């Protein structure tokens, strides 16, 4: 009996050794639940097509209006006759003292001004009609070009001019004269035209002046007072050419320019005046 039991255990051990090992199931990891398949969605119902709209009814055309009847023309009334005759003006119509203003501005006038009639000289130191405001406005508008002209005038050299005198060694300063330093407002240029000289204005807060020296011979053409009568002598007025900046109110582009003027400079005594050919 004991032998059979031992043999049966040996057989069971051999059988168990030949069987495959069981699958490994960890004890610490729970089994995952199996998910149920999702239900399939039903197809959406198809909507019925929308009904087409019926065309709008056409309205009957508006009736055309008949033309309005033309009214008869108004009767022409006779012209009104005034009860009183027209009044005759007691005074004739006034004629303007000045003519009509031309369409393109005033015409240039270079005649002698009123200040020249008072002194009888070809220049004016005092002028009541001097256009100071117009000159000042034009100077402010064209100050850069004006200052350039002013520099050119200051650097210019003047040239002596003596009527009828060709050599200077014959003259002596024996005739009386009157000298003054002036700022001319108007003067007659070498072409015989009166010009407005720019003077006594301010440019960039600086005084703009043109001062000149004038020496007039008091006895021009007479014999020299200090020369004996046995000598033929004559007081001679000497002139000098000056160049000033002038204002031309008729020039709308640039109303300033440099022009030449002949002014008295000194008075000399000339000996042997009969030998000079004028």
């Amino acid at each position: 009996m004991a032998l059979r039991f031992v043999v049966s255990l040996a057989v069971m051990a051999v059988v168990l050794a030949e069987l495959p090992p069981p699958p490994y199931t960890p004890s610490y990891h729970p089994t995952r639940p199996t998910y149920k398949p999702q239900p399939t969605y039903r197809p959406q119902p198809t909507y019925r097509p929308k009904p087409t709209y019926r065309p709008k009814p056409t309205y009957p055309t508006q009736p055309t209006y008949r033309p309005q009847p033309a009214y008869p023309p108004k009767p022409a009334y006779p012209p009104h006759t005034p009860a009183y005759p027209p009044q005759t003006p007691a005074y004739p119509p006034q004629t303007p003292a000045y003519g009509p203003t031309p369409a393109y501005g005033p015409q240039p006038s270079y005649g002698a001004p009123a200040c020249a009639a008072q002194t009888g000289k070809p220049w004016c130191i005092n002028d009541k009609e001097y256009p100071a405001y117009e000159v000042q406005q034009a100077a402010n508008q064209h100050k850069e070009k004006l200052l350039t002209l002013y520099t050119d005038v200051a650097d210019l050299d003047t040239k002596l001019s003596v009527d009828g005198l060709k050599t200077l060694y014959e003259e002596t300063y024996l005739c009386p004269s009157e000298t003054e330093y002036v700022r001319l407002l108007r003067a007659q240029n070498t072409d015989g035209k009166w010009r407005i000289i720019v003077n006594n204005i301010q440019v960039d807060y600086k005084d703009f002046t043109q001062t000149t020296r004038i020496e007039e011979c008091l006895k021009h053409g007479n014999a020299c007072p200090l020369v004996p009568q046995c000598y033929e002598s004559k007081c001679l007025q000497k002139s000098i050419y000056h160049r000033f900046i002038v204002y031309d109110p008729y020039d709308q582009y640039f109303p300033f320019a440099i022009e030449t003027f002949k002014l008295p400079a000194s008075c000399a005594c000339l000996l042997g005046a009969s030998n000079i050919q004028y």
Side-chain angles (χ1 to χ4, degrees):
M1 276 305 285
L3 182 63
R4 289 181 179 178
F5 181 73
V6 171
V7 170
S8 61
L9 287 175
V11 172
M12 288 179 65
V14 171
V15 171
L16 289 174
E18 292 179 357
L19 291 176
Y24 175 77
T25 56
S27 60
Y28 62 85
H29 192 281
T31 58
R32 295 180 180 180
T34 58
Y35 293 96
K36 296 181 180 181
Q38 297 295 332
T40 58
Y41 294 95
R42 296 180 181 179
Q44 297 295 332
T46 58
Y47 295 96
R48 296 181 181 179
K50 295 181 180 180
T52 58
Y53 294 96
R54 297 179 181 179
K56 294 182 180 180
T58 57
Y59 296 97
T61 57
Q62 297 294 332
T64 58
Y65 294 95
R66 298 179 181 179
Q68 298 294 331
Y71 293 97
K74 295 182 180 181
Y77 295 97
H80 178 69
T81 304
Y84 301 96
Q87 298 290 333
T88 303
Y91 301 96
Q94 298 292 332
T95 303
Y98 301 96
T101 304
Y104 299 99
Q107 297 296 326
S109 176
Y110 304 108
C115 61
Q118 300 176 0
T119 60
K121 298 179 180 180
W123 66 84
C124 290
I125 301 176
N126 300 317
D127 184 12
K128 297 181 179 179
E129 300 177 354
Y130 186 76
Y133 178 78
E134 290 78 2
V135 175
Q136 183 66 57
Q137 293 298 320
N140 294 333
Q141 184 178 0
H142 307 279
K143 59 181 180 181
E144 294 182 0
K145 294 183 178 179
L146 180 60
L147 291 177
T148 303
L149 291 180
Y150 187 65
T151 304
D152 294 342
V153 170
D155 296 338
L156 286 175
D157 295 330
T158 56
K159 181 181 178 181
L160 293 175
S161 173
V162 180
D163 294 336
L165 185 61
K166 298 180 181 179
T167 58
L168 299 179
Y169 65 87
E170 298 176 352
E171 61 178 318
T172 56
Y173 298 95
L174 300 176
C175 293
S177 61
E178 181 180 3
T179 305
E180 58 181 340
Y181 291 86
V182 296
R183 296 175 180 175
L184 304 181
L185 300 179
R186 293 182 192 260
Q188 193 174 14
N189 62 7
T190 54
D191 296 332
K193 298 180 180 179
W194 281 86
R195 296 295 192 182
I196 301 173
I197 299 178
V198 180
N199 239 325
N200 301 328
I201 64 171
Q202 286 189 348
V203 180
D204 288 340
Y205 303 100
K206 295 182 180 180
D207 294 334
F208 186 103
T209 59
Q210 299 183 95
T211 306
T212 184
R213 177 183 180 276
I214 294 180
E215 181 179 351
E216 296 183 82
C217 191
L218 299 179
K219 296 183 179 181
H220 173 65
N222 298 336
C224 301
L226 302 179
V227 177
Q229 297 182 359
C230 59
Y231 294 96
E232 187 176 2
S233 63
K234 183 179 181 181
C235 289
L236 181 65
Q237 177 68 63
K238 295 175 59 178
S239 300
I240 192 172
Y241 289 102
H242 295 268
R243 303 187 73 178
F244 298 116
I245 298 178
V246 299
Y247 169 73
D248 188 0
Y250 306 104
D251 191 344
Q252 302 298 327
Y253 178 70
F254 184 64
F256 298 102
I258 300 177
E259 296 189 5
T260 307
F261 299 84
K262 184 179 178 181
L263 299 175
S266 62
C267 184
C269 178
L270 181 65
L271 299 178
S274 60
N275 298 327
I276 297 179
Q277 298 178 0
Y278 290 91

